[in-house]
Amino acid sequence: LRTPDKTKVRQVAFFRGKRDGVESHTERMKRRIDSDQGKQMIGARFASVEPVFGNLRHNKRLDRFTLRGRTKVDGQWKLYCMVHNIEKLGHHGYAN
């Protein structure tokens, strides 16, 4: 330890590696997603709501609300949704 007189607790970690013959949760989920039913499920998720949240969080930088109170947050959320919908109309030729 760098400062043993200031550190109250010491911890030891043992790294054992992967267990033989036991499928991890990650591997099991990969197998489920790669199946035909999993591909349909993922395709339905991407075709519905998730791109909207991705657009609002990444492109519009809506990581957190800047206002406080339920009514103000609701107004801010509706404003972001309205901007998203107007952009969608503009990109799909409605403006022409």
Side-chain angles (χ1 to χ4, degrees):
L1 300 172
R2 289 185 186 157
T3 55
D5 52 330
K6 292 182 182 178
T7 306
K8 295 180 181 179
V9 179
R10 295 182 184 195
Q11 295 180 353
V12 177
F14 295 100
F15 298 102
R16 298 181 184 174
K18 291 188 177 185
R19 294 180 284 176
D20 294 333
V22 179
E23 186 179 32
S24 69
H25 295 294
T26 306
E27 294 298 324
R28 193 166 61 221
M29 195 63 194
K30 284 180 186 177
R31 189 170 37 85
R32 282 183 64 190
I33 289 174
D34 290 340
S35 69
D36 290 335
Q37 184 181 6
K39 288 178 184 177
Q40 285 181 330
M41 178 188 68
I42 294 296
R45 288 177 70 182
F46 285 125
S48 59
V49 178
E50 287 189 9
V52 176
F53 289 111
N55 179 28
L56 291 175
R57 288 195 67 185
H58 183 72
N59 298 334
K60 307 291 185 290
R61 290 179 171 77
L62 181 64
D63 292 331
R64 62 181 63 169
F65 293 104
T66 56
L67 303 173
R68 296 183 65 161
R70 185 176 293 217
T71 56
K72 292 178 186 176
V73 167
D74 185 51
Q76 187 178 3
W77 172 251
K78 288 177 181 175
L79 179 66
Y80 272 95
C81 291
M82 185 174 62
V83 168
H84 173 79
N85 287 332
I86 289 172
E87 280 185 348
K88 237 168 58 167
L89 289 172
H91 287 294
H92 290 293
Y94 184 77
N96 293 334

